[in-house]
Amino acid sequence: MAFLDSRWFRAFFAAAFGIAVFAVVVTGWWASTYMIPVRQVRDAVQEKLGGGEPATFEQVIFNKATRVGCGYALVKNRAGGGTERTHFILFPNGELALAPADTAEGDAAQQIAALEKQARYAALIVSNCTS
């Protein structure tokens, strides 16, 4: 029992307890800062996309400064067949923006309009998704 009363044991126990408390605090901070907002973004996008089966998400981030979630989701192809990987932006008001189609068919005016949509979406990415 002398060992339990020794200064070395008390110092070791105090240090171990301090490290454990520090680890719990850091884990809680990390979860509330990164994991929980990303999970909320995924859930909100899944709800907006609809569909019975869950979507697959990649590289989802939550920008704390703009309160916007961004990432990639596998969604049903707009043409109706298969799935495609598309970028999304989820705004704080719940609005979901999906990347416009990469290609446009038609005359020059339609192609220019498609390029303008892509440029506006790229501007949204720069202003909302990057730190």
Side-chain angles (χ1 to χ4, degrees), residues 62-121:
F62 179 75
N63 189 327
K64 292 188 307 184
T66 60
R67 312 289 300 161
V68 172
C70 302
Y72 292 92
L74 289 176
V75 296
K76 289 186 179 179
N77 191 324
R78 294 178 184 114
T83 59
E84 67 179 15
R85 183 177 183 246
T86 187
H87 190 269
F88 68 86
I89 302 174
L90 180 69
F91 294 98
N93 63 1
E95 181 184 344
L96 178 66
L98 296 175
D102 290 340
T103 59
E105 296 180 12
D107 61 0
Q110 291 173 329
Q111 292 178 0
I112 290 172
L115 288 173
E116 288 174 346
K117 284 181 184 179
Q118 291 175 2
R120 282 193 297 272
Y121 190 80

Side-chain angles (χ1 to χ4, degrees), residues 11-129:
F12 173 76
F13 183 76
F17 184 75
I19 291 170
V21 168
F22 177 75
V24 167
V25 168
V26 168
T27 302
W29 167 81
W30 182 73
S32 67
T33 303
Y34 297 105
M35 294 304 295
I36 294 172
V38 167
R39 179 87 237 142
Q40 291 171 341
V41 166
R42 287 180 178 176
D43 291 345
V45 170
Q46 177 69 42
E47 183 179 315
K48 296 273 184 195
L49 292 175
E53 59 194 53
T56 303
F57 295 95
E58 298 173 354
Q59 301 173 6
V60 177
I61 62 161
F62 179 75
N63 189 327
K64 292 188 307 184
T66 60
R67 312 289 300 161
V68 172
C70 302
Y72 292 92
L74 289 176
V75 296
K76 289 186 179 179
N77 191 324
R78 294 178 184 114
T83 59
E84 67 179 15
R85 183 177 183 246
T86 187
H87 190 269
F88 68 86
I89 302 174
L90 180 69
F91 294 98
N93 63 1
E95 181 184 344
L96 178 66
L98 296 175
D102 290 340
T103 59
E105 296 180 12
D107 61 0
Q110 291 173 329
Q111 292 178 0
I112 290 172
L115 288 173
E116 288 174 346
K117 284 181 184 179
Q118 291 175 2
R120 282 193 297 272
Y121 190 80
L124 287 175
I125 291 173
V126 170
S127 64
N128 292 295
C129 300

